[in-house]
Amino acid sequence: MANDSYRVDLDRLDEVVKKLNNVLKDMQSASGKAKSGTHLPDGALGKGFEEERELRQTHGEMKHFIEEYVLKKLEGLIDDLQKKTTRTHGAYQDQEQSTSNALQNGQSSTQNKYS
């Protein structure tokens, strides 16, 4: 019957956490580039024509949108997923340890928790 049970691969969960941390670092790098590396100063597109002001204004609006509604939300989503995966890893690790201890003591893991 033990072969029919499920098993969680803690090493794989740990690998997911590490990969999510790397993605989060990359996202923060992209966010920094979006904030500081995309400045469009006055006169960069030329001077003395009406569309220049409109282009700079539109650029600023798009820059704000990308920073606030794309990058910030993606960073939040990835950070949340990383934290939840870390908690899940910890919970499974704790349960595995509890089960191992219970088996060594000749008890079931549920007896330890609820007796």
Side-chain angles (χ1 to χ4, degrees):
M1 191 74 170
N3 292 338
D4 294 335
S5 65
Y6 67 92
R7 178 160 169 78
V8 175
D9 187 344
L10 294 176
D11 290 335
R12 296 292 273 172
L13 269 178
D14 193 42
E15 186 179 323
V16 169
V17 170
K18 288 177 184 175
K19 286 182 179 183
L20 286 170
N21 280 333
N22 288 335
V23 170
L24 190 57
K25 286 178 190 174
D26 290 345
M27 288 299 301
Q28 290 168 342
S29 174
S31 181
K33 287 178 185 175
K35 289 178 184 174
S36 63
T38 58
H39 176 68
L40 189 60
D42 289 342
L45 302 172
K47 292 185 179 187
F49 62 100
E50 183 179 328
E51 292 84 0
E52 190 268 340
R53 183 190 56 75
E54 187 178 342
L55 282 170
R56 276 191 307 104
Q57 181 178 349
T58 303
H59 174 267
E61 290 168 2
M62 287 304 299
K63 181 178 187 248
H64 175 75
F65 178 83
I66 290 169
E67 289 171 7
E68 294 297 316
Y69 297 103
V70 177
L71 295 174
K72 189 180 259 186
K73 288 189 184 275
L74 277 172
E75 282 179 28
L77 175 71
I78 293 166
D79 184 52
D80 184 52
L81 184 58
Q82 183 270 339
K83 287 176 183 172
K84 288 177 179 176
T85 304
T86 299
R87 283 193 303 267
T88 300
H89 178 276
Y92 277 114
Q93 195 171 35
D94 290 348
Q95 183 59 44
E96 192 174 86
Q97 185 64 44
S98 175
T99 301
S100 176
N101 290 343
L103 289 173
Q104 287 176 358
N105 295 329
Q107 304 170 340
S108 74
S109 62
T110 56
Q111 285 177 334
N112 279 349
K113 198 171 192 175
Y114 301 110
S115 55

